[in-house]
Amino acid sequence: DVPAGRRDVNALAVTAFRDYLTCPFRFYLRRVLGMESLDDLKTEMDAADFGALIHDVLLRMGQDEQMRTCTDASRLAGFLHDEAERWAAERFGAPLPLNLRMQVDSAQDRLAAVALAQATEAAAGWEIVAVEHPVEQTVEGLRVFGRVDRLDRHRDTGEVRVLDYKTSDNPQPPEKEHLKALSDQTPDYARVVIGDHEYRWVDLQLPLYAFMLGAEDSRWAAVVPGYFNIPRTADDTRVKLWDSF
């Protein structure tokens, strides 16, 4: 019952490759047929909403000329907390019901930890040069596109890194989020040899970002990918680079 034209895949978001590597059938349902679950009984933010709150607030930080270079963690935390309040009020009104109030408070706790980590990064010489940067390349006739959360450059060394914000409560190094041990069911297209070991791809997000940024600008050819982990535990909030990339 599905028109043939809807089965064509001419463009893919960078994040869609993880879906395919996980399960081609569910990839087809979601990315080709556009199927999604609906819930009209939702009463609080789900994981996607919570992540959107964090991402949007950090986008505002990266767009603010003073905040993007701020080394004062307290001042930075105040800005992030105010932006979180504004984000919640725009979407849910005011005053917030108790369950949403608790979720926003939780987000602000994480943002306080981000402020400390970000102030440390800024003091160490890292400067935010772009946020929500669009990338796009055509690969074997397929348009691949995405948005980079953040690009940093070190003011002294000139090193460039691409960072993706991660709000998972169980933060993993970027290489472990992209590469896993082989299994008997690993298809050929998911296999990759690195050094003397063979792995299977479970995600292509950061490698594709690095590839597309390098193709866009030669100054970014040696970009180092990584995560800015923002878990529930404040002590684990930090930048984690893929050093062996």
Side-chain angles (χ1 to χ4, degrees):
D1 296 332
V2 179
R6 288 190 60 189
R7 295 194 178 97
D8 293 337
V9 178
N10 301 313
L12 275 184
V14 167
T15 52
F17 288 91
R18 185 180 186 94
D19 291 346
Y20 189 88
L21 290 165
T22 300
C23 177
F25 178 63
R26 280 177 287 180
F27 164 89
Y28 173 76
L29 297 179
R30 178 183 179 189
R31 299 287 182 170
V32 180
L33 300 188
M35 296 175 66
E36 61 180 359
S37 60
L38 299 176
D39 183 4
D40 59 356
L41 300 178
K42 182 173 161 182
T43 59
E44 61 183 17
M45 289 190 288
D46 57 20
D49 296 325
F50 192 86
L53 188 163
I54 299 291
H55 277 75
D56 286 2
V57 167
L58 294 179
L59 169 63
R60 294 298 183 100
M61 177 193 74
Q63 293 172 331
D64 188 286
E65 290 292 340
Q66 294 183 344
M67 291 299 108
R68 65 197 291 168
T69 57
C70 182
T71 58
D72 184 337
S74 178
R75 182 183 175 203
L76 194 51
F79 174 87
L80 296 176
H81 284 188
D82 289 345
E83 288 297 316
E85 292 288 350
R86 180 195 55 77
W87 187 95
E90 285 180 354
R91 284 156 183 78
F92 308 121
L96 294 173
L98 179 59
N99 54 344
L100 286 174
R101 179 71 264 165
M102 292 174 65
Q103 288 185 303
V104 173
D105 288 348
S106 176
Q108 289 175 322
D109 287 342
R110 297 198 193 201
L111 290 168
V114 169
L116 182 59
Q118 171 60 29
T120 302
E121 295 293 326
W126 288 103
E127 300 174 339
I128 301 173
V129 296
V131 289
E132 288 292 306
H133 179 75
V135 288
E136 181 177 314
Q137 289 290 323
T138 298
V139 183
E140 298 292 332
L142 179 71
R143 184 173 69 88
V144 181
F145 62 92
R147 281 189 178 273
V148 171
D149 282 345
R150 171 169 159 177
L151 267 174
D152 288 2
R153 181 187 296 116
H154 197 278
R155 64 171 172 261
D156 297 325
T157 67
E159 182 182 359
V160 180
R161 64 188 189 186
V162 54
L163 299 180
D164 192 62
Y165 292 123
K166 289 293 183 185
T167 55
S168 168
D169 283 340
N170 183 29
Q172 298 292 324
E175 58 269 31
K176 290 189 176 182
E177 285 287 333
H178 288 74
L179 298 165
K180 300 292 184 184
L182 290 179
S183 69
D184 294 339
Q185 290 78 38
T186 302
D188 289 342
Y189 61 75
R191 294 172 179 260
V192 60
V193 177
I194 300 176
D196 298 327
H197 299 282
E198 190 173 12
Y199 302 90
R200 62 183 172 96
W201 287 112
V202 293
D203 198 353
L204 297 177
Q205 183 182 25
L206 290 182
L208 283 172
Y209 281 163
F211 162 69
M212 290 192 284
L213 286 167
E216 177 183 331
D217 192 322
S218 60
R219 295 174 300 173
W220 299 338
V223 64
V224 179
Y227 288 152
F228 198 132
N229 285 319
I230 312 170
R232 182 178 301 171
T233 305
D235 291 343
D236 293 331
T237 301
R238 63 172 65 91
V239 171
K240 182 63 177 176
L241 298 178
W242 191 340
D243 293 319
S244 62
F245 181 73

